[in-house]
Coordinates of all heavy atoms in Angstrom, one line a residue:
K123 N -4.9 -22.7 1.2 CA -3.7 -23.4 0.8 C -2.7 -23.6 2.0 O -2.8 -22.8 2.9 CB -2.9 -22.5 -0.3 CG -3.7 -22.2 -1.5 CD -3.6 -23.2 -2.6 CE -4.4 -22.9 -3.8 NZ -5.8 -22.7 -3.7
V124 N -1.9 -24.6 2.0 CA -1.0 -24.9 3.1 C 0.4 -25.0 2.5 O 0.6 -25.7 1.6 CB -1.4 -26.2 3.8 CG1 -0.5 -26.3 5.1 CG2 -2.9 -26.2 4.2
V125 N 1.3 -24.2 3.1 CA 2.7 -24.2 2.6 C 3.6 -24.1 3.8 O 3.2 -23.9 4.9 CB 3.0 -22.9 1.7 CG1 2.1 -22.9 0.5 CG2 2.8 -21.6 2.5
T126 N 4.9 -24.3 3.5 CA 5.9 -24.2 4.6 C 6.9 -23.1 4.1 O 7.0 -22.8 2.9 CB 6.7 -25.5 4.8 OG1 7.4 -25.8 3.6 CG2 5.8 -26.6 5.2
Y127 N 7.5 -22.4 5.1 CA 8.4 -21.3 4.7 C 9.5 -21.1 5.7 O 9.4 -21.5 6.9 CB 7.7 -20.0 4.4 CG 7.3 -19.3 5.7 CD1 8.0 -18.1 6.1 CD2 6.2 -19.7 6.5 CE1 7.6 -17.4 7.3 CE2 5.9 -19.0 7.6 CZ 6.6 -17.9 8.0 OH 6.2 -17.2 9.2
E128 N 10.6 -20.6 5.3 CA 11.7 -20.2 6.1 C 12.0 -18.7 6.0 O 11.7 -18.2 4.9 CB 13.0 -21.0 5.7 CG 13.1 -22.3 6.5 CD 14.3 -23.1 6.0 OE1 14.3 -23.5 4.8 OE2 15.2 -23.4 6.8
G129 N 12.6 -18.1 7.0 CA 13.0 -16.7 6.9 C 11.9 -15.8 7.3 O 11.0 -16.2 8.0
L130 N 12.1 -14.5 7.0 CA 11.1 -13.5 7.4 C 9.8 -13.7 6.8 O 9.6 -13.9 5.6 CB 11.6 -12.1 7.0 CG 12.7 -11.5 7.9 CD1 13.0 -10.0 7.4 CD2 12.4 -11.4 9.3
T131 N 8.7 -13.5 7.6 CA 7.4 -13.7 7.1 C 7.0 -12.7 6.0 O 6.4 -13.0 5.0 CB 6.4 -13.5 8.3 OG1 6.7 -14.5 9.3 CG2 4.9 -13.8 7.9
I132 N 7.5 -11.4 6.2 CA 7.2 -10.4 5.1 C 7.9 -10.8 3.8 O 7.3 -10.5 2.7 CB 7.5 -9.0 5.5 CG1 8.9 -8.9 6.1 CG2 6.5 -8.4 6.5 CD1 9.4 -7.5 6.2
D133 N 9.1 -11.4 3.9 CA 9.7 -11.7 2.6 C 8.9 -12.8 1.9 O 8.8 -12.8 0.7 CB 11.1 -12.3 2.9 CG 12.1 -11.1 3.3 OD1 11.7 -10.0 3.0 OD2 13.2 -11.4 3.8
F134 N 8.4 -13.7 2.7 CA 7.6 -14.8 2.1 C 6.3 -14.2 1.5 O 5.8 -14.7 0.5 CB 7.3 -15.9 3.1 CG 6.7 -17.1 2.5 CD1 7.4 -17.9 1.6 CD2 5.4 -17.4 2.8 CE1 6.8 -19.0 0.9 CE2 4.8 -18.5 2.1 CZ 5.5 -19.3 1.2
C135 N 5.7 -13.3 2.2 CA 4.5 -12.6 1.7 C 4.7 -12.0 0.3 O 3.9 -12.2 -0.6 CB 4.0 -11.5 2.7 SG 3.3 -12.1 4.2
K136 N 5.9 -11.3 0.2 CA 6.2 -10.7 -1.1 C 6.4 -11.8 -2.1 O 5.9 -11.6 -3.3 CB 7.5 -9.9 -0.9 CG 7.3 -8.6 -0.2 CD 8.6 -7.8 0.0 CE 8.6 -6.9 1.1 NZ 9.9 -6.5 1.7
K137 N 7.0 -12.9 -1.8 CA 7.3 -13.9 -2.7 C 6.0 -14.5 -3.3 O 5.9 -14.8 -4.5 CB 8.1 -15.0 -2.0 CG 8.7 -16.1 -2.9 CD 9.6 -17.0 -2.1 CE 9.8 -18.3 -2.9 NZ 10.4 -19.3 -2.0
I138 N 5.0 -14.7 -2.4 CA 3.7 -15.3 -2.9 C 2.6 -14.3 -3.2 O 1.5 -14.6 -3.4 CB 3.2 -16.4 -2.0 CG1 2.8 -15.8 -0.6 CG2 4.2 -17.5 -1.7 CD1 1.8 -16.7 0.1
D139 N 3.0 -13.0 -3.1 CA 2.1 -11.9 -3.4 C 0.9 -11.9 -2.4 O -0.3 -11.8 -2.9 CB 1.6 -11.9 -4.8 CG 1.0 -10.6 -5.3 OD1 1.2 -9.6 -4.6 OD2 0.1 -10.6 -6.2
A140 N 1.2 -12.0 -1.1 CA 0.2 -11.9 -0.1 C 0.3 -10.5 0.5 O 1.3 -10.0 0.9 CB 0.4 -12.9 1.0
Q141 N -0.8 -9.7 0.4 CA -0.8 -8.3 0.9 C -1.1 -8.2 2.4 O -1.0 -7.1 2.9 CB -1.8 -7.5 0.1 CG -1.8 -7.6 -1.4 CD -2.6 -8.8 -1.9 OE1 -2.9 -9.7 -1.2 NE2 -3.0 -8.7 -3.2
F142 N -1.6 -9.3 3.0 CA -2.0 -9.3 4.3 C -1.4 -10.4 5.1 O -1.2 -11.5 4.6 CB -3.5 -9.4 4.4 CG -4.2 -8.3 3.7 CD1 -4.6 -8.5 2.3 CD2 -4.5 -7.1 4.2 CE1 -5.3 -7.6 1.6 CE2 -5.1 -6.1 3.5 CZ -5.5 -6.3 2.2
I143 N -1.2 -10.1 6.4 CA -0.9 -11.2 7.4 C -2.1 -11.3 8.3 O -2.6 -10.3 8.8 CB 0.4 -10.9 8.2 CG1 1.6 -10.9 7.3 CG2 0.6 -11.9 9.3 CD1 2.9 -10.3 8.0
L144 N -2.6 -12.5 8.5 CA -3.7 -12.8 9.4 C -3.2 -13.3 10.7 O -2.4 -14.3 10.7 CB -4.6 -13.8 8.7 CG -5.9 -14.2 9.4 CD1 -6.8 -13.0 9.7 CD2 -6.6 -15.3 8.6
R145 N -3.6 -12.8 11.8 CA -3.3 -13.3 13.1 C -4.5 -13.3 14.0 O -5.4 -12.5 13.9 CB -2.2 -12.4 13.8 CG -0.9 -12.4 13.1 CD -0.1 -13.6 13.1 NE 0.6 -13.9 14.3 CZ 1.3 -15.0 14.6 NH1 1.4 -16.0 13.7 NH2 1.9 -15.1 15.7
G146 N -4.5 -14.3 15.0 CA -5.5 -14.3 16.0 C -5.1 -13.7 17.3 O -3.9 -13.8 17.6
L147 N -6.0 -13.1 18.0 CA -5.7 -12.5 19.3 C -6.6 -13.2 20.3 O -7.8 -13.1 20.3 CB -6.0 -11.0 19.3 CG -5.1 -10.1 18.5 CD1 -5.6 -8.7 18.6 CD2 -3.6 -10.2 18.9
R148 N -5.9 -13.8 21.3 CA -6.6 -14.4 22.4 C -6.8 -13.6 23.7 O -7.7 -13.7 24.4 CB -5.9 -15.7 22.8 CG -6.0 -16.8 21.8 CD -5.1 -17.9 22.1 NE -3.7 -17.5 21.8 CZ -2.7 -18.3 21.7 NH1 -2.8 -19.6 22.1 NH2 -1.5 -17.9 21.4
N149 N -5.8 -12.8 23.9 CA -5.7 -12.1 25.2 C -4.7 -10.9 25.1 O -4.0 -10.7 24.1 CB -5.2 -13.1 26.3 CG -4.0 -13.8 25.8 OD1 -3.1 -13.2 25.3 ND2 -4.0 -15.1 26.0
P150 N -4.6 -10.1 26.2 CA -3.7 -8.9 26.2 C -2.3 -9.3 25.9 O -1.5 -8.5 25.2 CB -3.9 -8.3 27.6 CG -5.2 -8.8 28.0 CD -5.4 -10.1 27.4
A151 N -1.8 -10.5 26.4 CA -0.4 -10.9 26.1 C -0.2 -11.1 24.6 O 0.8 -10.6 24.1 CB -0.1 -12.1 26.9
D152 N -1.2 -11.7 24.0 CA -1.1 -11.9 22.5 C -1.0 -10.5 21.8 O -0.2 -10.3 20.9 CB -2.3 -12.6 22.0 CG -2.2 -14.1 21.9 OD1 -1.1 -14.6 22.3 OD2 -3.2 -14.8 21.5
F153 N -1.8 -9.6 22.3 CA -1.9 -8.3 21.7 C -0.6 -7.5 21.8 O -0.1 -7.0 20.8 CB -3.0 -7.4 22.3 CG -3.0 -6.0 21.8 CD1 -3.5 -5.7 20.5 CD2 -2.5 -5.0 22.6 CE1 -3.4 -4.4 20.1 CE2 -2.5 -3.7 22.1 CZ -2.9 -3.4 20.9
E154 N 0.0 -7.5 23.0 CA 1.3 -6.8 23.1 C 2.4 -7.4 22.3 O 3.2 -6.7 21.6 CB 1.8 -6.9 24.6 CG 0.9 -6.0 25.6 CD 1.0 -4.5 25.2 OE1 1.9 -4.1 24.6 OE2 -0.1 -3.9 25.5
F155 N 2.4 -8.7 22.2 CA 3.5 -9.4 21.4 C 3.2 -9.1 19.9 O 4.1 -8.8 19.2 CB 3.3 -10.9 21.7 CG 4.3 -11.8 21.0 CD1 5.6 -11.8 21.3 CD2 3.8 -12.6 20.0 CE1 6.5 -12.6 20.6 CE2 4.8 -13.4 19.3 CZ 6.1 -13.4 19.6
E156 N 2.0 -9.3 19.5 CA 1.7 -9.1 18.1 C 1.8 -7.7 17.6 O 2.1 -7.4 16.5 CB 0.2 -9.6 17.8 CG 0.0 -11.0 18.1 CD 0.7 -11.9 17.0 OE1 1.0 -11.4 16.0 OE2 0.8 -13.1 17.3
K157 N 1.6 -6.7 18.5 CA 1.7 -5.3 18.2 C 3.1 -5.0 17.7 O 3.3 -4.3 16.7 CB 1.3 -4.5 19.4 CG 1.1 -3.0 19.1 CD 0.5 -2.3 20.3 CE 1.6 -2.0 21.4 NZ 1.2 -1.0 22.4
A158 N 4.0 -5.4 18.5 CA 5.4 -5.1 18.2 C 5.8 -5.7 16.8 O 6.5 -5.1 16.0 CB 6.4 -5.7 19.3
I159 N 5.4 -7.0 16.6 CA 5.7 -7.6 15.3 C 5.0 -6.9 14.1 O 5.6 -6.7 13.1 CB 5.3 -9.1 15.3 CG1 6.1 -9.8 16.4 CG2 5.5 -9.8 14.0 CD1 5.7 -11.3 16.6
A160 N 3.7 -6.6 14.3 CA 3.0 -5.9 13.2 C 3.6 -4.5 12.9 O 3.8 -4.2 11.7 CB 1.5 -5.8 13.6
H161 N 4.0 -3.8 14.0 CA 4.7 -2.5 13.7 C 6.0 -2.7 12.9 O 6.3 -2.0 12.0 CB 5.0 -1.8 15.0 CG 3.8 -1.0 15.6 ND1 3.0 -0.2 14.9 CD2 3.3 -1.0 16.9 CE1 2.1 0.3 15.6 NE2 2.2 -0.2 16.8
T162 N 6.7 -3.7 13.4 CA 8.0 -4.0 12.7 C 7.8 -4.3 11.2 O 8.4 -3.8 10.3 CB 8.8 -5.1 13.4 OG1 8.9 -4.8 14.8 CG2 10.1 -5.3 12.8
N163 N 6.8 -5.2 11.0 CA 6.5 -5.6 9.6 C 6.0 -4.4 8.8 O 6.4 -4.3 7.6 CB 5.4 -6.7 9.6 CG 6.0 -8.0 10.1 OD1 7.2 -8.2 10.0 ND2 5.2 -8.9 10.5
R164 N 5.3 -3.5 9.4 CA 4.9 -2.3 8.6 C 6.1 -1.4 8.3 O 6.1 -0.7 7.3 CB 3.8 -1.5 9.4 CG 2.4 -2.0 9.3 CD 1.8 -1.7 7.9 NE 1.6 -0.2 7.8 CZ 1.4 0.3 6.6 NH1 1.4 -0.4 5.5 NH2 1.2 1.6 6.5
K165 N 7.0 -1.4 9.2 CA 8.2 -0.5 9.0 C 9.0 -1.1 7.9 O 9.6 -0.3 7.1 CB 9.0 -0.5 10.3 CG 10.2 0.4 10.4 CD 9.7 1.7 10.9 CE 10.9 2.7 10.8 NZ 10.4 4.1 10.9
L166 N 9.1 -2.4 7.8 CA 9.9 -3.0 6.8 C 9.2 -3.3 5.5 O 9.8 -3.6 4.5 CB 10.4 -4.4 7.3 CG 11.2 -4.4 8.6 CD1 11.7 -5.8 9.0 CD2 12.5 -3.5 8.5
S167 N 7.9 -3.1 5.4 CA 7.2 -3.5 4.2 C 5.8 -2.8 4.2 O 5.5 -2.0 5.1 CB 6.9 -5.0 4.1 OG 5.9 -5.3 5.1
K168 N 5.0 -3.0 3.2 CA 3.7 -2.4 3.1 C 2.6 -3.4 3.5 O 1.4 -3.1 3.4 CB 3.4 -1.9 1.7 CG 4.3 -0.7 1.3 CD 3.7 -0.1 0.0 CE 4.3 1.3 -0.3 NZ 5.7 1.3 -0.5
I169 N 3.1 -4.5 4.1 CA 2.1 -5.5 4.4 C 1.3 -5.2 5.6 O 1.9 -4.9 6.7 CB 2.8 -6.9 4.5 CG1 3.3 -7.3 3.1 CG2 1.9 -8.0 5.0 CD1 4.4 -8.2 3.0
E170 N 0.0 -5.3 5.5 CA -0.9 -5.0 6.7 C -1.2 -6.3 7.5 O -1.4 -7.3 6.8 CB -2.2 -4.4 6.2 CG -2.2 -3.1 5.6 CD -2.1 -1.9 6.6 OE1 -1.9 -2.2 7.8 OE2 -2.1 -0.8 6.2
T171 N -1.2 -6.2 8.8 CA -1.6 -7.3 9.6 C -3.0 -7.1 10.0 O -3.4 -6.0 10.5 CB -0.7 -7.4 10.8 OG1 0.7 -7.5 10.4 CG2 -1.0 -8.7 11.6
V172 N -3.8 -8.1 9.8 CA -5.2 -8.1 10.1 C -5.4 -9.0 11.3 O -5.1 -10.2 11.3 CB -6.1 -8.5 9.0 CG1 -7.6 -8.6 9.4 CG2 -5.9 -7.6 7.8
F173 N -6.0 -8.5 12.4 CA -6.2 -9.3 13.6 C -7.7 -9.7 13.7 O -8.5 -8.8 13.6 CB -5.8 -8.5 14.9 CG -4.3 -8.2 14.9 CD1 -3.9 -6.9 14.7 CD2 -3.4 -9.2 15.2 CE1 -2.6 -6.6 14.7 CE2 -2.0 -8.8 15.3 CZ -1.6 -7.6 15.0
L174 N -7.9 -10.9 14.1 CA -9.2 -11.4 14.4 C -9.2 -11.8 15.9 O -8.3 -12.5 16.3 CB -9.7 -12.5 13.6 CG -10.0 -12.2 12.1 CD1 -10.4 -13.5 11.4 CD2 -11.0 -11.2 12.0
L175 N -10.2 -11.3 16.6 CA -10.4 -11.8 18.0 C -10.8 -13.2 18.0 O -11.7 -13.5 17.2 CB -11.4 -10.9 18.8 CG -11.0 -9.6 19.3 CD1 -12.1 -9.0 20.1 CD2 -9.7 -9.7 20.1
T176 N -10.3 -14.0 18.8 CA -10.7 -15.4 18.8 C -12.1 -15.6 19.3 O -12.6 -14.8 20.0 CB -9.8 -16.2 19.8 OG1 -10.0 -15.7 21.1 CG2 -8.3 -16.1 19.4
A177 N -12.7 -16.6 18.8 CA -14.1 -17.0 19.3 C -13.9 -17.3 20.8 O -13.0 -17.9 21.2 CB -14.6 -18.2 18.5
A178 N -14.9 -16.9 21.6 CA -14.9 -17.1 23.0 C -14.7 -18.6 23.3 O -13.9 -19.0 24.2 CB -16.1 -16.6 23.7
R179 N -15.3 -19.5 22.5 CA -15.3 -20.9 22.9 C -14.0 -21.6 22.6 O -13.7 -22.7 23.1 CB -16.5 -21.6 22.1 CG -16.3 -21.7 20.7 CD -17.4 -22.4 19.9 NE -17.1 -22.5 18.5 CZ -17.2 -21.5 17.7 NH1 -17.6 -20.3 18.1 NH2 -16.8 -21.6 16.4
T180 N -13.1 -20.9 21.8 CA -11.8 -21.5 21.6 C -10.6 -20.6 22.1 O -9.5 -20.9 21.8 CB -11.6 -21.8 20.1 OG1 -11.8 -20.5 19.3 CG2 -12.5 -22.8 19.6
S181 N -11.0 -19.5 22.8 CA -9.9 -18.6 23.1 C -8.9 -19.1 24.1 O -7.8 -18.6 24.2 CB -10.5 -17.3 23.6 OG -11.2 -17.5 24.8
Y182 N -9.2 -20.1 24.8 CA -8.3 -20.7 25.8 C -7.4 -21.7 25.2 O -6.4 -22.2 25.9 CB -9.1 -21.3 27.0 CG -9.9 -22.5 26.6 CD1 -9.4 -23.8 26.7 CD2 -11.2 -22.3 26.0 CE1 -10.1 -24.9 26.3 CE2 -11.9 -23.4 25.6 CZ -11.4 -24.7 25.7 OH -12.1 -25.7 25.2
I183 N -7.6 -22.1 24.0 CA -6.9 -23.2 23.4 C -5.5 -22.7 22.9 O -5.5 -21.8 22.1 CB -7.7 -23.9 22.3 CG1 -9.0 -24.4 22.8 CG2 -6.9 -25.1 21.8 CD1 -9.9 -25.0 21.8
S184 N -4.5 -23.5 23.2 CA -3.2 -23.2 22.5 C -2.5 -24.5 22.2 O -2.9 -25.6 22.8 CB -2.3 -22.4 23.5 OG -1.9 -23.3 24.6
S185 N -1.7 -24.5 21.2 CA -1.0 -25.7 20.8 C -0.2 -26.3 21.9 O -0.1 -27.5 22.1 CB -0.1 -25.5 19.6 OG -0.8 -25.1 18.5
S186 N 0.4 -25.4 22.8 CA 1.2 -26.0 23.9 C 0.3 -26.7 24.9 O 0.7 -27.7 25.4 CB 2.0 -24.9 24.5 OG 1.2 -23.9 25.1

Side-chain angles (χ1 to χ4, degrees):
K123 303 271 181 304
V124 189
V125 299
T126 63
Y127 77 105
E128 267 176 300
L130 281 185
T131 304
I132 48 166
D133 287 343
F134 189 67
C135 285
K136 286 177 201 155
K137 193 171 157 194
I138 66 160
D139 195 23
Q141 310 89 335
F142 304 93
I143 293 173
L144 177 63
R145 297 289 282 176
L147 291 179
R148 286 166 289 189
N149 50 46
D152 269 359
F153 174 74
E154 288 302 330
F155 180 73
E156 295 290 342
K157 189 172 78 163
I159 297 176
H161 277 314
T162 308
N163 286 341
R164 275 287 291 161
K165 188 89 185 161
L166 301 181
S167 74
K168 290 195 165 59
I169 293 157
E170 291 283 5
T171 304
V172 175
F173 296 105
L174 289 182
L175 282 185
T176 62
R179 67 180 184 286
T180 54
S181 64
Y182 65 93
I183 304 175
S184 67
S185 294
S186 64

